[in-house]
Amino acid sequence: MSKVQTGLRYSEEHEWLDITAAPAKIGVSQVAADALGDVVYLDLPEAGSTVTAGETCGEIESTKSVSDLYSPVSGTVAEVNQDAIDNPALVNEDPYGAGWLFTVEVSEEGPLMTAEEYASKNGGEL
């Protein structure tokens, strides 16, 4: 069973948000990483670009498929994780740590679930 990190909020599309970080940190859940299989390529929004909650902002490519990446918030991208771009396997190895994707100066949050709600809906364990 995939791990769901407590203390984070989650989107319907499997992105997580750490709003306690400044700027807010975003990644994909272990539920998504496990379903994708081996991640081999990341197309992330550029620093300085704007993202809109619920809209696509990039892609994650795995050995199985290519999936859209959705932003859980609206705002300006502050930083992208160059380590994850250079080594996309970090998303599988440590999705809540070294495999984070980008940070955003948040202007508005989209609809998000608690870790408990997300785990219940997606078969993850806390």
Side-chain angles (χ1 to χ4, degrees), residues 9-11 13-17 26-29 68-70 72:
R9 309 232 319 268
Y10 294 83
S11 72
E13 295 82 16
H14 307 287
E15 285 78 22
W16 57 260
L17 171 72
I26 295 168
V28 295
S29 71
D68 286 330
L69 179 65
Y70 294 86

Side-chain angles (χ1 to χ4, degrees), residues 56-124:
T56 60
C57 61
E59 290 181 339
I60 297 179
E61 185 176 333
S62 72
T63 54
K64 292 181 182 178
S65 66
V66 176
S67 298
D68 286 330
L69 179 65
Y70 294 86
S71 181
V73 295
S74 297
T76 303
V77 176
E79 180 185 7
V80 296
N81 185 352
Q82 190 62 48
D83 290 341
I85 292 170
D86 293 342
N87 180 15
L90 288 173
V91 173
N92 298 106
E93 295 165 8
D94 190 11
Y96 302 114
W100 64 275
L101 300 178
F102 59 98
T103 63
V104 175
E105 295 288 349
V106 177
S107 60
E108 183 179 349
E109 292 183 26
L112 298 168
M113 294 176 266
T114 65
E116 293 78 10
E117 291 167 336
Y118 180 79
S120 175
K121 184 172 184 167
N122 294 285

Side-chain angles (χ1 to χ4, degrees), residues 26-44:
I26 295 168
V28 295
S29 71
Q30 187 176 354
V31 171
D34 290 350
L36 284 166
D38 294 332
V39 176
V40 295
Y41 178 76
L42 296 170
D43 178 22
L44 302 178

Side-chain angles (χ1 to χ4, degrees), residues 1-5 31 119 123-126:
M1 192 173 278
S2 299
K3 176 97 172 108
V4 174
Q5 182 78 34
V31 171
E125 68 178 0
L126 299 173

